[in-house]
């Protein structure tokens, strides 16, 4: 997982309680691109830009940043493996806004799907025993209906 | 090996993150299978954070109005759908539900109500505006299971005594009531007798008899908040005099009302809600108006 120089990074990790506008000289030093492993350079750039703008004291800039990020996520149809990495990264570095935006994407992928569909999309292995699943199925047969 | 590592990761996602994701999906998706994906996802689906409030005001019954009691007929599939959602929600909620909201046109029947009450023993607030298919025995049985109930939104009922007596016996912390229908002196007498410690009362958009209003202000000693916004206040003196609609509350009533921390009134010909109450003769036909209009209340704690 990416390493972070926390003393430099913390103010710029989208913490909306410290919305200080970074001075131009600081941008290059405190907002060093922290490579998120296994994601394309394009996403990295978008995330970094979001983090930067989200630290702004101007509400409009922050709103625009969030909208841009949402648009990007929808347009690019971010893949499952990438999504997982970004979500974990956002959670680990306590970037609530970044996490929120990507959780929306995950939620969209879950909506209107049956159990089998969700498992397939996320590559999740069913770890219920046949007996456990049978019990669940008996309680909620509708989840498995076609 | 690389692929296996990737596949395992979604199951290992932090519970907090999964809960955050679940907060973004509606009750229909939440109960349609996320809890059966795998053990971690099941565990997250049972998180109390998701179940403080169960809001079923997003569901409606598929019904037709009928001329005889219960005045509605609900079709089988619609009933089954509600039962299904209730079963799964109540199962996942594991007793965490503190607020339960039913829609104005979601016609719950006794069995569903009992099933629900059994599984929400910690309920504090209930919004149940439609009792058409609920019998006296059914609602009393349910109330007995809600010892912690503090707030209730209900329709007006013909003989409230049997019900308020059960509330009196079982719900020691009961303090907030919203009645969506007419308020007369009999109802107020019942309230004074059964829930003398009532703090908040909303009767908005209904007919309220003047003698009942005065008795509320005199008789409910612990009352802090009274909402009679958009109500038609009716002065009904002895049989031979004509019934009069009160257009302005007189000083004695206002003086009594001023002792409350909040005395909410609105009697304005220009006000659309006042106009609607008048047009519907004191019993608002909520289905005629904007969806969700019934949820509003000038008292914040009673708004949905």
């Amino acid at each position: 997982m990416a390493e972070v120089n926390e003393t430099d990074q913390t103010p710029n990790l989208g913490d909306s309680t410290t919305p200080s506008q970074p001075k131009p000289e600081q941008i290059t030093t405190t907002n060093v691109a922290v490579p998120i492993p296994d994601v394309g350079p394009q996403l990295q750039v978008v995330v970094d830009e979001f983090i930067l703008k989200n630290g702004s004291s101007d509400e409009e800039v922050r709103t625009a940043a969030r909208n841009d990020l949402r648009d990007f996520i929808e347009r690019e149809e971010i893949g499952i493996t990438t999504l997982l990495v970004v979500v974990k990264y956002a959670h680990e570095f306590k970037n609530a806004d970044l996490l929120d935006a990507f959780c929306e994407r995950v939620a969209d992928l879950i909506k209107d799907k049956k159990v089998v569909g969700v498992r397939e999309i996320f590559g999740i292995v069913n770890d219920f025993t046949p007996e456990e699943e049978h019990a669940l199925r008996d309680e909620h047969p509708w989840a498995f209906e076609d | 090996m690389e692929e296996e590592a990737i596949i395992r990761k979604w199951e290992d996602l932090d519970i907090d993150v999964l809960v955050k994701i679940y907060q973004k999906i509606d009750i229909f998706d939440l109960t349609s299978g996320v809890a059966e994906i795998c053990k971690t996802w099941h565990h997250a689906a049972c998180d109390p954070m998701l179940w403080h409030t169960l809001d079923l005001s997003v569901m409606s019954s598929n019904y037709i109005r009928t001329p005889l009691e219960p005045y509605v007929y609900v079709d089988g599939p619609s009933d089954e759908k509600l039962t299904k959602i209730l079963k799964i929600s109540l199962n996942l909620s594991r007793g965490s539900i503190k607020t339960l909201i039913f829609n104005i046109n979601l016609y719950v029947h006794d069995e569903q109500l009992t099933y629900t009450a059994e599984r929400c023993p910690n309920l504090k607030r209930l919004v149940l505006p439609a009792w058409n298919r609920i019998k006296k025995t059914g609602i009393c049985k349910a109330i007995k299971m809600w010892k912690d109930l503090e707030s209730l939104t209900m329709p007006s009922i013909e003989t409230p005594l049997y019900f308020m007596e059960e509330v009196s016996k079982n719900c020691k912390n009961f303090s907030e009531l919203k009645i969506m229908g007419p308020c007369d002196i009999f109802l107020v007498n019942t309230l004074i007798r059964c829930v003398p410690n009532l703090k908040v009362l909303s009767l908005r958009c209904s007919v309220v008899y003047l003698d009942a209003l005065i008795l509320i202000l005199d008789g409910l000693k612990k009352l802090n908040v009274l909402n009679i916004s958009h109500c038609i206040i009716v002065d009904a003196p002895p049989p031979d005099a004509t019934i009069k609609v009160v257009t302005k509350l007189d000083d004695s009533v206002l003086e009594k009302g001023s002792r409350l921390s909040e005395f909410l009134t609105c009697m304005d010909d220009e006000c659309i809600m006042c106009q609607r109450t008048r047009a519907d003769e004191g019993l608002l036909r909520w289905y005629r108006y904007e969806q969700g209009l019934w949820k509003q209340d000038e008292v914040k704690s009673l708004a949905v």
Side-chain angles (χ1 to χ4, degrees), chain B residues 235-249:
Chain B
D235 189 357
D240 49 73
T242 48
I243 288 178
K244 214 173 36 153
V245 172
V246 172
T247 46
K248 190 173 170 305
L249 296 172

Side-chain angles (χ1 to χ4, degrees), chain A residues 80-81 83-85 87-88 91 96 99-100 103-104 106-107 110-115 118-119 122-128 132-133 136 139-140 142-144, chain B residues 2 6-14 16-17 20-22 24-26 29 31-42 80 83-84 87-88 91-92:
Chain A
I80 288 294
T81 36
L83 208 48
L84 179 58
V85 173
V87 162
K88 284 185 134 179
H91 179 63
L99 182 61
D100 201 69
C103 282
E104 283 273 4
V106 179
I110 295 176
K111 285 175 189 165
D112 298 324
K113 307 271 181 359
K114 294 282 176 214
V115 176
V118 178
R119 280 199 198 123
F122 291 89
I124 293 178
V125 172
N126 177 11
D127 58 355
F128 286 114
E132 285 166 340
E133 223 191 357
L136 282 175
E139 276 178 26
H140 318 141
W142 316 276
F144 299 87
Chain B
E2 199 51 51
I6 291 170
I7 287 172
R8 291 292 316 166
K9 279 183 191 174
W10 278 104
E11 290 100 308
D12 301 335
L13 201 56
D14 223 86
D16 289 339
V17 177
K20 236 191 187 69
I21 293 168
Y22 289 165
K24 295 177 183 301
I25 61 179
D26 65 24
D29 282 314
T31 54
S32 75
V34 288
E36 279 104 61
I37 303 284
C38 66
K39 289 186 179 172
T40 335
W41 284 46
H42 184 276
E80 277 167 31
T83 301
K84 159 196 165 180
K87 278 193 173 176
I88 302 180
N91 215 309
L92 293 172

Side-chain angles (χ1 to χ4, degrees), chain A residues 48-111:
Chain A
D48 289 344
E49 189 169 318
F50 172 79
I51 291 174
L52 176 65
K53 286 198 180 148
N54 206 34
S56 164
S57 50
D58 185 342
E59 164 104 47
E60 270 182 40
V61 173
R62 289 204 300 275
T63 313
R66 258 172 249 145
N67 290 335
D68 286 342
L69 182 60
R70 291 235 159 90
D71 288 341
F72 175 80
I73 294 171
E74 265 177 51
R75 224 173 34 238
E76 294 302 313
E77 296 181 0
I78 305 292
I80 288 294
T81 36
T82 311
L83 208 48
L84 179 58
V85 173
V86 183
V87 162
K88 284 185 134 179
Y89 163 79
H91 179 63
E92 213 169 289
F93 295 106
K94 302 190 186 357
N95 190 330
D97 294 321
L98 191 67
L99 182 61
D100 201 69
F102 284 96
C103 282
E104 283 273 4
R105 171 75 187 149
V106 179
D108 286 339
L109 291 171
I110 295 176
K111 285 175 189 165

